[in-house]
Amino acid sequence: MPNENTIKNISKQALLRLPYYLSYLKKIEENEFISAPRIALDLGLNDVQVRKDLAAVSSCGGKPKIGYEIRLLICDIEKFLGYDNVDEAILVGVGKLGSALLHYDGFKDYGIEIVAAFDNDEFLTNNDFKDKKPVFSMDKLKDLCQRMKIHIGIITVPSINAQEVCNNLVSSGILAILNFSGAHLSVPPNVIVQNENIASSLAVLSSHLRKSLEDQNN
Amino acid sequence: MPNENTIKNISKQALLRLPYYLSYLKKIEENEFISAPRIALDLGLNDVQVRKDLAAVSSCGGKPKIGYEIRLLICDIEKFLGYDNVDEAILVGVGKLGSALLHYDGFKDYGIEIVAAFDNDEFLTNNDFKDKKPVFSMDKLKDLCQRMKIHIGIITVPSINAQEVCNNLVSSGILAILNFSGAHLSVPPNVIVQNENIASSLAVLSSHLRKSLEDQNN
DNA sequence: TAGATTGTTAATCGATTAACAATC
DNA sequence: TAGATTGTTAATCGATTAACAATC
C-alpha cells in the first residue's frame, strides 16, 4: 500500500518528468479521473513508465478500470516537489538574463521565491525595497544568506566568474545551485548543481537540424 | 583512422556534454595539449567517457602519452556543433524572458542569431530596424519564416498558448524548437523539440534539498 | 625500457519497456 | 462475465565504466 510519510525511491529521470505531468493535469483539472494509458498517449510516453512514475508520488494509487483522481494527483505531485512550502532563494548576476529571472513572477508556482539579488556593479545595486526586489553588492552575500538561512542560489553571471561566485555561495551555506552560466562548477558532495544550459540545448537542435537537411539531400 | 567527412554516431548524452568540453577547453586555450584523464578530473567525469566523446568529434584523435591538441579540439567541437555557420532563428512571445533572450548577445557564440520576434500584443510590435530587433505581429510569422528559410524557433509564450504557437511554427517550416514554456508539445516526427524547463530543474533541486535537510535531522 | 596515455572490446549499471497476474 | 486498467516482476535497451592491448 502506498505510504504517505516516506519519500519513495525515484530516478532522476522520473523527477524531471513530474513537472510535465503536473502541467498536463492542471490543463484537464475539470475532469475527475485520468488513466495512465491516456496520459502516456497525450504526453508521448510509455504507459508503464507513467504508472511507475505516479506510483512513486501518489498517496492512494489508481483504481483499476478507472485510473487516478486528477485533483488528488495534482496535490500529491505538488507536495512531492515541495511546491507547497515556498523556499527562498537568492540570485547572483543582474545582467539581462538575471534581471529577467529576478522580475519573473512564475517562480512562485514552483515553490521558489527570489528574495534578493547580488551584483558587483554599483550602478545596479539599490537598497530601497519599494516594489522592486533589492539588489545588493557582493560583500553582503554571506551575511544575508546566513542570517536568512537561504539554501538555494541562482547563478546568472558570465561563465568566467561562475566558479568564484559558486565558491562564495557554498561558503555562505547554499546547498542547491541553479546554474545558468555555461561553466562547469566544482562543488562539495553535499551541494547539488542543476545546469540550465542553453548551449547544450542548442547543440542538440543544431545537430538534429544538420542531419535533417542532409537526409533531404539524399 | 578518424574521418573528417562523416558524422559519427554520438549519443544524446554525449552531445549535451560537448558544450562543457568547449567551455573548459577555451579556458585553458593558452596551453598546447590536454589529456583525457586531466579533463575528466577537472570536469568530474570518467576518463573513458571523455575519450569516447572526443573520439566522436576529433579529426585527428589524441596522441598517447601527450593527449589532444587543445586548439584543434576546440575547432573540431565548434564545427561539430555547427557554431561555424550561424543559423537564423525566430522567437515567439516577447514577455520578460522572451525579451531578455531577444536582446541577449550570447546566442551568436552558439551559432544562432535571432533575426526577428513575434507577439500578439500590438504594444510590443515595432517595424523599425534601428538598433533593436524587429517585433512583428503573429500574422506575419509564416510569410517571414518561409521567405527567409528559417528552421529554428524559440517559444517563450505562456504554456497555455504554447501548442498553438508550436503548430504555427511547424506549418511555417520550422524544424527545431527550443521550448521555454513548461508545456509538452506534440510535433510531427521530423521536428525536434528541446525543452528548457526551469520547473524540472527546480524539481530536482527541491527534492535534493529536502533529502539533505532530512539527513541532517537523523 | 618504463610509464602514461590512447582507443576499443567486454562487463556493469540504470532506465525503459514488455509480460502478466490482480482488480474492479 | 468480459474488458480495461493497475501494479509488479522480468527482459531489453542504452549509456557508463572497467579491463586491456597498442602506442609513443
Side-chain angles (χ1 to χ4, degrees), chain A residues 150-204:
Chain A
I150 310 270
H151 297 301
I152 298 180
I154 301 171
I155 296 183
T156 46
V157 300
S159 66
I160 192 82
N161 306 317
Q163 184 63 57
E164 194 196 337
V165 166
C166 172
N167 297 344
N168 245 320
L169 290 176
V170 169
S171 76
S172 305
I174 294 287
L175 292 171
I177 293 173
L178 189 55
N179 175 31
F180 283 89
S181 86
H184 165 84
L185 299 177
S186 297
V187 292
N190 63 320
V191 175
I192 191 177
V193 174
Q194 187 65 24
N195 295 298
E196 197 73 23
N197 192 341
I198 298 174
S200 288
S201 297
L202 288 176
V204 176

Side-chain angles (χ1 to χ4, degrees), chain B:
Chain B
M1 290 294 106
N3 179 328
E4 257 191 271
N5 296 314
T6 59
I7 292 182
K8 303 243 186 48
N9 272 352
I10 187 168
S11 73
K12 194 181 169 183
Q13 298 305 315
L15 201 49
L16 290 167
R17 282 189 293 270
L18 289 181
Y20 277 99
Y21 295 128
L22 192 56
S23 128
Y24 169 77
L25 292 169
K26 282 186 170 170
K27 258 190 269 181
I28 55 161
E29 204 176 354
E30 67 274 12
N31 302 306
E32 194 161 8
F33 291 97
I34 185 82
S35 74
R38 181 76 238 173
I39 297 177
L41 188 71
D42 289 342
L43 295 185
L45 302 170
N46 178 286
D47 66 315
V48 181
Q49 188 174 59
V50 171
R51 270 197 291 282
K52 263 201 163 179
D53 290 351
L54 296 185
V57 298
S58 170
S59 53
C60 297
K63 288 185 191 122
K65 212 169 141 64
I66 294 173
Y68 302 82
E69 201 193 319
I70 293 177
R71 250 156 282 182
L72 185 57
L73 209 46
I74 290 176
C75 289
D76 287 337
I77 296 177
E78 289 191 330
K79 207 168 174 184
F80 192 94
L81 293 177
Y83 291 180
D84 52 340
N85 60 335
V86 172
D87 221 321
E88 294 178 330
I90 55 96
L91 181 147
V92 182
V94 190
K96 272 177 190 137
L97 185 61
S99 178
L101 292 177
L102 189 58
H103 301 114
Y104 176 53
D105 300 325
F107 275 117
K108 252 178 278 157
D109 301 337
Y110 308 133
I112 303 274
E113 194 193 347
I114 303 177
V115 293
F118 296 86
D119 203 294
N120 260 334
D121 187 344
E122 277 182 34
F123 190 69
L124 293 167
T125 61
N126 71 75
N127 289 13
D128 53 355
F129 284 71
K130 274 185 241 167
D131 51 344
K132 279 187 190 169
K133 298 262 173 80
V135 178
F136 300 113
S137 65
M138 286 301 288
D139 53 11
K140 305 240 168 58
L141 177 68
K142 191 167 188 169
D143 184 55
L144 188 136
C145 285
Q146 291 184 335
R147 276 194 301 131
M148 293 188 71
K149 292 199 170 65
I150 309 272
H151 297 301
I152 299 178
I154 302 170
I155 296 183
T156 46
V157 298
S159 66
I160 191 83
N161 306 316
Q163 185 63 59
E164 193 195 338
V165 165
C166 172
N167 296 344
N168 244 321
L169 290 176
V170 170
S171 76
S172 305
I174 294 289
L175 292 171
I177 293 173
L178 190 56
N179 175 31
F180 282 89
S181 87
H184 165 82
L185 299 178
S186 298
V187 292
N190 63 319
V191 175
I192 192 179
V193 174
Q194 188 65 24
N195 295 298
E196 197 72 24
N197 193 342
I198 297 173
S200 289
S201 297
L202 289 175
V204 176
L205 285 190
S206 168
S207 165
H208 166 84
L209 206 54
R210 204 146 31 115
K211 260 184 230 155
S212 281
L213 298 174
E214 240 168 47
D215 288 353
Q216 274 182 21
N217 296 340
N218 292 346

Side-chain angles (χ1 to χ4, degrees), chain A residues 2 58 60-64 66-69:
Chain A
S58 170
C60 296
K63 288 186 190 120
I66 292 173
Y68 302 83
E69 201 192 319

